[in-house]
PDB file of all heavy atoms in Angstrom:
ATOM      1  N   ARG A 126      -1.460 -30.556 -23.718  1.00 97.00           N
ATOM      2  CA  ARG A 126      -2.254 -31.818 -23.652  1.00 97.00           C
ATOM      3  C   ARG A 126      -2.236 -32.371 -22.249  1.00 97.00           C
ATOM      4  O   ARG A 126      -3.063 -33.130 -21.923  1.00 97.00           O
ATOM      5  CB  ARG A 126      -1.613 -32.782 -24.664  1.00 97.00           C
ATOM      6  CG  ARG A 126      -1.946 -32.539 -26.118  1.00 97.00           C
ATOM      7  CD  ARG A 126      -1.487 -33.575 -27.017  1.00 97.00           C
ATOM      8  NE  ARG A 126      -1.990 -34.825 -26.922  1.00 97.00           N
ATOM      9  CZ  ARG A 126      -1.545 -35.934 -27.480  1.00 97.00           C
ATOM     10  NH1 ARG A 126      -0.604 -35.853 -28.403  1.00 97.00           N
ATOM     11  NH2 ARG A 126      -2.200 -37.090 -27.360  1.00 97.00           N
ATOM     12  N   THR A 129      -0.684 -28.442 -18.446  1.00 97.00           N
ATOM     13  CA  THR A 129       0.393 -27.748 -17.559  1.00 97.00           C
ATOM     14  C   THR A 129       1.132 -26.775 -18.412  1.00 97.00           C
ATOM     15  O   THR A 129       0.617 -26.302 -19.447  1.00 97.00           O
ATOM     16  CB  THR A 129       1.257 -28.771 -16.961  1.00 97.00           C
ATOM     17  OG1 THR A 129       2.191 -28.083 -16.070  1.00 97.00           O
ATOM     18  CG2 THR A 129       2.046 -29.580 -17.964  1.00 97.00           C
ATOM     19  N   THR A 131       5.003 -25.167 -20.129  1.00 97.00           N
ATOM     20  CA  THR A 131       6.417 -25.551 -20.560  1.00 97.00           C
ATOM     21  C   THR A 131       7.415 -25.376 -19.397  1.00 97.00           C
ATOM     22  O   THR A 131       8.287 -26.127 -19.401  1.00 97.00           O
ATOM     23  CB  THR A 131       6.758 -24.643 -21.756  1.00 97.00           C
ATOM     24  OG1 THR A 131       6.830 -23.267 -21.342  1.00 97.00           O
ATOM     25  CG2 THR A 131       5.747 -24.742 -22.923  1.00 97.00           C
ATOM     26  N   ARG A 132       7.189 -24.421 -18.690  1.00 97.00           N
ATOM     27  CA  ARG A 132       8.136 -24.208 -17.512  1.00 97.00           C
ATOM     28  C   ARG A 132       8.107 -25.464 -16.611  1.00 97.00           C
ATOM     29  O   ARG A 132       9.230 -25.828 -16.256  1.00 97.00           O
ATOM     30  CB  ARG A 132       7.685 -23.000 -16.739  1.00 97.00           C
ATOM     31  CG  ARG A 132       8.615 -22.744 -15.550  1.00 97.00           C
ATOM     32  CD  ARG A 132       9.904 -22.223 -15.939  1.00 97.00           C
ATOM     33  NE  ARG A 132      10.868 -22.062 -14.837  1.00 97.00           N
ATOM     34  CZ  ARG A 132      11.565 -22.937 -14.288  1.00 97.00           C
ATOM     35  NH1 ARG A 132      11.590 -24.243 -14.788  1.00 97.00           N
ATOM     36  NH2 ARG A 132      12.340 -22.714 -13.237  1.00 97.00           N
ATOM     37  N   THR A 148      15.402 -31.980 -31.704  1.00 96.00           N
ATOM     38  CA  THR A 148      15.410 -31.854 -33.206  1.00 96.00           C
ATOM     39  C   THR A 148      16.644 -31.153 -33.637  1.00 96.00           C
ATOM     40  O   THR A 148      17.471 -30.725 -32.756  1.00 96.00           O
ATOM     41  CB  THR A 148      14.220 -31.135 -33.653  1.00 96.00           C
ATOM     42  OG1 THR A 148      14.224 -29.786 -33.239  1.00 96.00           O
ATOM     43  CG2 THR A 148      12.997 -31.775 -33.278  1.00 96.00           C
ATOM     44  N   GLN A 165       1.012 -39.434 -15.518  1.00 97.00           N
ATOM     45  CA  GLN A 165       1.214 -40.118 -14.234  1.00 97.00           C
ATOM     46  C   GLN A 165       1.635 -39.264 -13.118  1.00 97.00           C
ATOM     47  O   GLN A 165       1.186 -39.184 -12.119  1.00 97.00           O
ATOM     48  CB  GLN A 165       2.254 -41.267 -14.449  1.00 97.00           C
ATOM     49  CG  GLN A 165       2.670 -41.884 -13.161  1.00 97.00           C
ATOM     50  CD  GLN A 165       1.657 -42.895 -12.650  1.00 97.00           C
ATOM     51  OE1 GLN A 165       1.523 -44.022 -13.150  1.00 97.00           O
ATOM     52  NE2 GLN A 165       0.898 -42.460 -11.689  1.00 97.00           N
ATOM     53  N   THR A 179       7.244 -39.317  -7.040  1.00 97.00           N
ATOM     54  CA  THR A 179       6.589 -39.782  -8.245  1.00 97.00           C
ATOM     55  C   THR A 179       7.768 -40.568  -9.061  1.00 97.00           C
ATOM     56  O   THR A 179       7.419 -41.257 -10.137  1.00 97.00           O
ATOM     57  CB  THR A 179       6.131 -38.648  -9.253  1.00 97.00           C
ATOM     58  OG1 THR A 179       7.222 -37.880  -9.708  1.00 97.00           O
ATOM     59  CG2 THR A 179       5.191 -37.745  -8.489  1.00 97.00           C
ATOM     60  N   ALA A 219      -7.844 -34.035  15.336  1.00 97.00           N
ATOM     61  CA  ALA A 219      -7.576 -33.690  16.717  1.00 97.00           C
ATOM     62  C   ALA A 219      -7.627 -32.125  16.943  1.00 97.00           C
ATOM     63  O   ALA A 219      -8.151 -31.606  17.848  1.00 97.00           O
ATOM     64  CB  ALA A 219      -6.208 -34.226  17.186  1.00 97.00           C
ATOM     65  N   GLY A 246     -19.495 -16.644  43.209  1.00 40.00           N
ATOM     66  CA  GLY A 246     -19.337 -17.670  44.113  1.00 40.00           C
ATOM     67  C   GLY A 246     -18.627 -18.935  43.415  1.00 40.00           C
ATOM     68  O   GLY A 246     -17.430 -18.991  43.444  1.00 40.00           O
ATOM     69  N   GLU A 257     -17.717 -34.332  20.420  1.00 34.00           N
ATOM     70  CA  GLU A 257     -16.868 -34.221  19.285  1.00 34.00           C
ATOM     71  C   GLU A 257     -17.672 -33.803  18.073  1.00 34.00           C
ATOM     72  O   GLU A 257     -18.737 -34.405  17.831  1.00 34.00           O
ATOM     73  CB  GLU A 257     -16.149 -35.629  19.024  1.00 34.00           C
ATOM     74  CG  GLU A 257     -15.539 -35.512  17.693  1.00 34.00           C
ATOM     75  CD  GLU A 257     -14.400 -36.648  17.628  1.00 34.00           C
ATOM     76  OE1 GLU A 257     -13.815 -36.918  18.651  1.00 34.00           O
ATOM     77  OE2 GLU A 257     -14.066 -37.128  16.480  1.00 34.00           O
TER      78      GLU A 257
END
Side-chain angles (χ1 to χ4, degrees):
Chain A
R126 288 182 66 185
T129 182
T131 60
R132 178 70 183 87
T148 63
Q165 171 76 82
T179 71
E257 172 155 332

